[in-house]
């Protein structure tokens, strides 16, 4: 039998010592019958219940709703998006110097810890490149 949201919830709850039957259902705020339906795949928690369960288990709802494999798939898609963004950044960072180069590098380092900041980093570096071009134009140092 494929693992359902309910079986993942029960497994994660057992691992955290929260039980997996009546006690767990009570902590979530549902009947045992509802928890059983989730386990059997007859239904699944709504968003409000997902939030409660997420807080109770200390994991994102995606972990129990879709499983780790689904998260890996999302992460792979995010990595592809980040790689594309980094390609754009790499082509433009070479045009920077001094403090602007330092700021661009800082934006890149932010992506290591917070890949969701890709759009902000690209926008920041794009502004830095434009500032650099304007500065070179004013000083007559090429471009």
């Amino acid at each position: 039998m494929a693992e359902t949201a309910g079986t993942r919830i029960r497994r994660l709850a057992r691992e955290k010592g929260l039980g997996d039957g009546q006690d767990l259902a009570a902590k979530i705020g549902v009947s045992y019958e509802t928890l059983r339906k989730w386990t059997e795949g007859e239904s699944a928690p709504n968003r409000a219940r997902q939030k409660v369960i997420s807080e109770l288990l200390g994991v994102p709802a995606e972990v129990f709703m879709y499983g780790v494999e689904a998260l890996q798939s999302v992460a792979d898609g995010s990595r592809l998006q980040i790689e594309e963004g980094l390609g754009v950044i790499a082509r433009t960072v070479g045009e920077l110097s001094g403090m602007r180069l330092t700021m661009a590098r800082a934006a890149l380092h932010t992506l290591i810890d917070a890949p969701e900041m890709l759009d902000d980093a690209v926008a920041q570096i794009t502004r830095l490149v434009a500032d650099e071009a304007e500065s070179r134009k004013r000083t007559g140092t090429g471009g």
Side-chain angles (χ1 to χ4, degrees), residues 29-129:
V30 298
S31 69
Y32 179 75
E33 180 64 17
T34 297
L35 182 59
R36 186 200 61 76
K37 286 181 179 180
W38 295 347
T39 303
E40 298 298 318
E42 295 174 22
S43 64
N46 63 28
R47 292 212 184 267
R49 287 290 168 230
Q50 288 175 27
K51 185 175 185 211
V52 170
I53 298 164
S54 182
E55 290 171 1
L56 181 67
L57 299 178
V59 297
E62 292 80 10
V63 169
F64 55 82
M65 290 302 296
Y66 309 110
V68 175
E69 300 80 21
L71 287 181
Q72 184 61 49
S73 174
V74 169
D76 289 345
S78 296
R79 274 195 285 279
L80 179 61
Q81 199 174 21
I82 290 167
E83 287 171 9
E84 291 171 358
L86 290 176
V88 170
I89 291 169
R91 289 190 294 275
T92 58
V93 167
E95 301 175 23
L96 300 176
S97 63
M99 181 57 78
R100 289 185 189 96
L101 179 58
T102 301
M103 292 170 70
R105 286 183 179 147
L108 288 173
H109 284 284
T110 298
L111 289 175
I112 294 169
D113 294 325
E116 67 276 5
M117 301 296 293
L118 176 64
D119 292 339
D120 291 340
V122 170
Q124 180 181 3
I125 292 170
T126 301
R127 284 191 303 275
L128 292 169
V129 169

